[in-house]
């Protein structure tokens, strides 16, 4: 316990560790401050028309599907459509029909809207028989805001990796590692201390961030806590690997960056692009961060029944990484 208290004191002087802890908290504060902003309106379809060319009925019809901006001349409309910073769809009206104007670098969804808009406008008065089903939202978080929250929390949970890696690398460069080798401390005690170091850092960062930007129901608290515990433990173990394999600060930073990219990029890609009933999606559970990402997203979307695959995957990762580090320690001892 004394050694752990000493190590906690030492990381307070490490600016990298302090920044690692504060970064998710700061992002959580920003998300919380933006809680009054409608993220759906940010992603709303933007239409552009020439003032006086489109009728009032057409403009009103377009407003039902997005935001309409009117320009004085055709050149102004073309410039707005071609502006790389916008996803504007130009709408030109000739008689009772419309045609669309796009630049070609739009998102696929906007390209599909532009292609189908004239036909939809043509059939706007045709009678249609549809069954309307209203599904109440499980939470007050829209899609983009939930995605930002989950990315921030996953980053916070896996910050224990950075804590441990930077702490071990600092000890190597300062010569403390040599002192540790002659101290009356077993390898098991050393590993437990290091795991606790990253575990406490990741847990603290995640809990503070979650309190700022999440509003969980009481039934969701236990599953969320289990996800935090398992993710922080796995992260701490991975940090031990990085610290042991890094011979210097720069190499360690490169390893940490690679790991963080692998932690964040694939889960986001698979969640947004790949259907969750495919084999490719299930294979993404090979990464521990994927299980963390999917589990928190299901919590925010009010789908507790889908949490069990994520928790099972995290338990499996915790066991596998523990065995892997045990074997790694045995190999190191054999080499000595």
């Amino acid at each position: 316990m004394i050694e752990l208290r000493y190590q906690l004191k030492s990381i307070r002087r490490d600016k990298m560790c302090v920044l690692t802890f504060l970064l998710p908290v700061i992002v959580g504060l920003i998300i919380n401050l933006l809680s009054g902003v409608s993220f759906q309106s940010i992603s709303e379809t933007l239409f552009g028309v020439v003032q006086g060319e489109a009728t009032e009925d057409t403009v009103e019809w377009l407003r039902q599907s997005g935001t309409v901006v009117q320009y004085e001349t055709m050149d102004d409309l073309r410039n707005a459509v071609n502006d790389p910073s916008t996803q504007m769809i130009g709408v030109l009206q000739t008689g009772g029909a419309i045609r669309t104007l796009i630049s070609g670098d739009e998102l696929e969804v906007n390209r599909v809207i532009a292609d189908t808009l004239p036909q939809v406008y043509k059939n706007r008065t045709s009678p249609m028989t549809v069954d309307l089903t209203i599904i109440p939202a499980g939470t007050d978080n829209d899609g983009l805001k939930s995605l930002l929250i989950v990315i921030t929390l996953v980053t916070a949970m896996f910050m224990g990796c950075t804590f441990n890696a930077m702490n071990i690398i600092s000890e190597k460069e300062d010569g403390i590692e040599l002192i540790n080798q002659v101290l009356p401390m077993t390898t098991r005690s050393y590993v437990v201390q290091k795991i606790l170091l990253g575990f406490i850092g990741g847990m603290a960062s995640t809990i503070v961030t979650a309190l700022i930007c999440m509003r969980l129901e009481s039934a969701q608290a236990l599953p969320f806590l289990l996800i935090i515990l398992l993710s922080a433990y796995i992260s701490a173990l991975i940090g031990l690997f990085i610290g042991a394999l890094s011979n210097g600060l720069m190499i360690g930073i490169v390893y940490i960056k690679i790991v963080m990219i692998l932690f964040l990029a694939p889960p986001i890609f698979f969640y947004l692009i790949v259907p969750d009933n495919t084999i490719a999606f299930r294979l993404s559970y090979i990464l521990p961060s994927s299980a963390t990402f999917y589990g928190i997203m299901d919590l925010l979307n009010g789908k507790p029944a889908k949490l069990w695959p994520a928790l099972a995957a995290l338990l499996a990762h915790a066991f596998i990484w523990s065995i892997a580090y045990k074997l790694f320690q045995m190999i190191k001892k054999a080499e000595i």
Side-chain angles (χ1 to χ4, degrees), residues 213-327:
C213 61
M214 284 184 71
R215 297 293 181 270
L216 290 175
E217 299 177 1
S218 56
Q220 297 173 317
L222 180 59
F224 181 66
L225 185 60
L226 289 174
I227 292 174
I228 294 178
L229 290 171
L230 291 170
S231 300
Y233 173 73
I234 295 167
S235 172
L237 278 175
I238 295 174
L240 293 183
F241 275 104
I242 294 176
L245 295 173
S246 301
N247 295 323
L249 181 61
M250 294 307 298
I251 295 176
I253 291 175
V254 171
Y255 286 162
I256 290 171
K257 294 297 182 184
I258 293 172
V259 168
M260 291 308 297
I261 291 172
L262 290 175
F263 276 169
L264 291 175
I268 297 171
F269 172 80
F270 280 100
Y271 184 83
L272 295 176
I273 305 297
V274 181
D276 60 1
N277 58 352
T278 61
I279 296 176
F281 187 87
R282 295 188 182 99
L283 287 175
S284 67
Y285 281 101
I286 293 174
L287 290 173
S289 57
S290 294
T292 304
F293 188 96
Y294 304 151
I296 303 176
M297 188 63 80
D298 290 335
L299 273 178
L300 285 176
N301 292 334
K303 300 176 181 177
K306 289 189 174 184
L307 283 175
W308 298 113
L311 289 173
L314 285 172
L315 278 170
H317 273 290
F319 178 76
I320 292 170
W321 282 99
S322 298
I323 297 298
Y325 191 75
K326 182 69 176 178
L327 293 174

Side-chain angles (χ1 to χ4, degrees), residues 67 72 84 103 112 147 176 181 202 214 221 263 289 293-294 297 329:
T67 302
E72 293 184 359
S103 63
V112 171
L147 185 62
I176 300 175
Q181 293 176 4
M214 284 184 71
F263 276 169
S289 57
F293 188 96
Y294 304 151
M297 188 63 80
Q329 287 290 322

Side-chain angles (χ1 to χ4, degrees), residues 56-57 74 88 120 180 215 219 277 289 306 310 326 336:
E56 289 297 326
D57 291 339
M74 185 65 185
M88 180 175 288
V120 174
N180 289 336
R215 297 293 181 270
N277 58 352
S289 57
K306 289 189 174 184
K326 182 69 176 178
I336 296 173

Side-chain angles (χ1 to χ4, degrees), residues 57-74:
D57 291 339
T58 301
V59 172
E60 192 61 33
W61 180 78
L62 290 172
R63 284 201 178 109
Q64 296 175 7
S65 303
T67 302
V68 180
V69 180
Q70 299 191 40
Y71 296 91
E72 293 184 359
T73 65
M74 185 65 185

Side-chain angles (χ1 to χ4, degrees), residues 1-162:
M1 185 63 66
I2 296 176
E3 292 85 355
L4 181 61
R5 194 163 54 218
Y6 165 75
Q7 297 202 29
L8 286 171
K9 187 184 295 185
S10 68
I11 66 171
R12 284 189 319 205
R13 303 189 187 97
D14 193 326
K15 295 179 181 178
M16 184 72 174
C17 288
V18 174
L19 200 60
T20 294
F21 174 83
L22 291 177
L23 182 60
V25 177
I26 293 171
V27 175
L29 284 170
I30 294 172
I31 294 174
N32 192 50
L33 289 173
L34 293 175
S35 59
V37 177
S38 174
F39 284 83
Q40 295 292 353
S41 64
I42 294 175
S43 58
E44 199 172 30
T45 307
L46 185 63
F47 300 106
V49 298
V50 177
Q51 193 172 11
E53 181 182 291
T55 63
E56 289 297 326
D57 291 339
T58 301
V59 172
E60 192 61 33
W61 180 78
L62 290 172
R63 284 201 178 109
Q64 296 175 7
S65 303
T67 302
V68 180
V69 180
Q70 299 191 40
Y71 296 91
E72 293 184 359
T73 65
M74 185 65 185
D75 289 338
D76 292 338
L77 175 60
R78 288 185 184 277
N79 291 334
V81 170
N82 292 327
D83 188 344
S85 64
T86 69
Q87 291 286 315
M88 180 175 288
I89 300 173
V91 179
L92 308 176
Q93 184 167 15
T94 305
I98 65 170
R99 60 188 178 91
T100 55
L101 177 68
I102 58 177
S103 63
D105 61 352
E106 291 83 6
L107 297 173
E108 182 65 23
V109 62
N110 287 338
R111 194 174 298 125
V112 171
I113 292 172
D115 292 340
T116 58
L117 194 65
Q119 188 63 35
V120 174
Y121 180 81
K122 182 180 178 181
N123 298 329
R124 71 190 186 282
T125 58
S126 300
M128 298 179 64
T129 303
V130 296
D131 294 327
L132 181 62
T133 303
I134 300 176
I135 302 176
T139 64
D140 60 351
N141 293 292
D142 58 49
L144 183 57
K145 184 178 178 182
S146 297
L147 185 62
L148 290 174
I149 291 173
V150 174
I151 291 172
T152 305
L153 290 175
V154 171
T155 304
M157 287 183 196
F158 286 91
M159 280 303 167
C161 172
T162 305

